[in-house]
Amino acid sequence: MSDRRTAAVLMLVLSASPTVRLSAQGDIDRLAARFVAMTAVTGLEQSMVDSLRALFPGSSRDRAGNVTLTLGQGSPKRLCACPLDEIGYVVGNILPDGFLLLRRVGGGGRTASPLFDQQLEGHRVTVFGTRSPVPGVVAVKSVHLTRGRVAPGAPDPVFTVDNAYVDVGAASAAEVQGLGIAVLAPVSLAKRPQLYGERLLAAPNAAAVQTKPKVRGTVVVAFTVQSLYTSNAGLASLKAVLGPFDDIKTATLPARYPDTAVETVALADADRLVREITQWMEGR
């Protein structure tokens, strides 16, 4: 991930809409778990965008796919940017025997660690077909068939995305297509968010909360897409269409164990971030 996505968050929006009020700690925690369970692979964020638009009346989707909500009016004009997307995978090929091959997307032009792909081996994934999400599992190589192929004392080759064969229960390419799966369909690790300890949330991503600020001037709250491409296309489009802005703030949260399936944020940090951005919006 790029440095600003090391926090691995689906971030914060501050809404003035009375239809989106969350005040109880339990509401905040449930919303966080809800968004963590969603997937927004870079360039394929449409489902997440649709959910956000439903949650925030008055928001809009621009041509690039960003979700924006404008609060207040007049000067100064500021932007609170919240990147949506995550490093993930797409279907790279469908084999005649029904297995899927993968390709990684996202990363901002930076090569991810080989260990990033090792999370896939033997684990459940979700393939987002045109009809519905399809559960699958990444195959594990046979110990018996591979024994003796590596020189004595040499380590086994590192698992990479090129070694990932996804089984969705299909026996042919035609059966795969019948499930609504095509090349470039998004694929992610099956999301199983866990709340534990002192309001710690473990999952590949972590989301936050809402409040009701008294905005000074105009604040455009934007959930941006395609932030993990080198061009940061979503933010670039936003600045070109709605800018210039007097100030731009990008919301991030610190995370433990980044780039893993148990990437963890403390929801207490999300509470602090709410207060910080509320003060920023109110010009304090």
Side-chain angles (χ1 to χ4, degrees):
M1 294 185 176
S2 64
D3 288 341
R4 15 190 235 100
R5 289 295 295 165
T6 301
V9 286
L10 298 174
M11 277 308 303
L12 165 81
V13 69
L14 299 169
S15 174
S17 171
T19 61
V20 190
R21 282 185 185 164
L22 294 176
S23 56
Q25 177 176 301
D27 290 337
I28 292 172
D29 294 358
R30 283 191 293 272
L31 180 67
R34 170 185 169 186
F35 275 94
V36 168
M38 297 182 183
T39 294
V41 174
T42 299
L44 301 162
E45 305 96 340
Q46 184 60 50
S47 294
M48 176 71 76
V49 166
D50 291 343
S51 296
L52 288 169
R53 289 206 59 196
L55 183 61
F56 301 113
S59 63
S60 61
R61 177 184 181 275
D62 64 19
R63 291 185 178 181
N66 303 304
V67 176
T68 60
L69 182 67
T70 301
L71 307 176
Q73 59 184 353
S75 297
K77 185 177 183 180
R78 293 171 291 160
L79 171 66
C80 179
C82 311
L84 274 182
D85 50 327
E86 60 184 286
I87 295 178
Y89 302 88
V90 296
V91 175
N93 197 7
I94 300 173
L95 300 182
D97 57 6
F99 283 99
L100 311 180
L101 301 184
L102 301 181
R103 291 291 178 267
R104 192 191 310 121
V105 294
R110 180 173 66 83
T111 302
S113 165
L115 297 178
F116 182 83
D117 295 330
Q118 289 187 17
Q119 300 173 90
L120 288 171
E121 188 174 15
H123 284 272
R124 290 184 288 171
V125 296
T126 302
V127 184
F128 294 88
T130 56
R131 296 183 179 179
S132 64
V134 179
V137 65
V138 178
V140 177
K141 65 183 179 182
S142 169
V143 175
H144 302 290
L145 295 178
T146 57
R147 184 178 296 164
R149 295 194 177 187
V150 178
D156 289 336
V158 173
F159 180 94
T160 71
V161 68
D162 295 326
N163 305 124
Y165 287 76
V166 179
D167 185 352
V168 291
S172 67
E175 288 188 17
V176 171
Q177 293 164 359
L179 294 171
I181 298 172
V183 171
L184 298 185
V187 181
S188 76
L189 280 171
K191 302 294 180 64
R192 289 172 288 178
Q194 296 291 328
L195 278 165
Y196 69 99
E198 294 296 324
R199 298 184 70 217
L200 299 176
L201 178 62
N205 298 279
V209 297
Q210 293 106 15
T211 187
K212 190 176 179 182
K214 297 178 181 179
V215 174
R216 182 173 68 89
T218 302
V219 173
V220 176
V221 178
F223 289 92
T224 61
V225 299
Q226 301 180 35
S227 73
L228 297 179
Y229 289 142
T230 304
S231 61
N232 198 351
L235 181 59
S237 173
L238 192 67
K239 291 193 289 187
V241 174
L242 297 181
F245 295 101
D246 297 301
D247 190 17
I248 298 176
K249 185 176 185 64
T250 301
T252 57
L253 283 173
R256 305 177 191 176
Y257 323 119
D259 288 356
T260 73
V262 292
E263 187 160 335
T264 299
V265 297
L267 293 176
D269 288 337
D271 296 339
R272 285 191 287 273
L273 184 59
V274 171
R275 294 191 293 271
E276 175 189 326
I277 292 185
T278 300
Q279 292 173 0
W280 176 81
M281 286 186 162
E282 294 177 347
R284 292 190 279 136

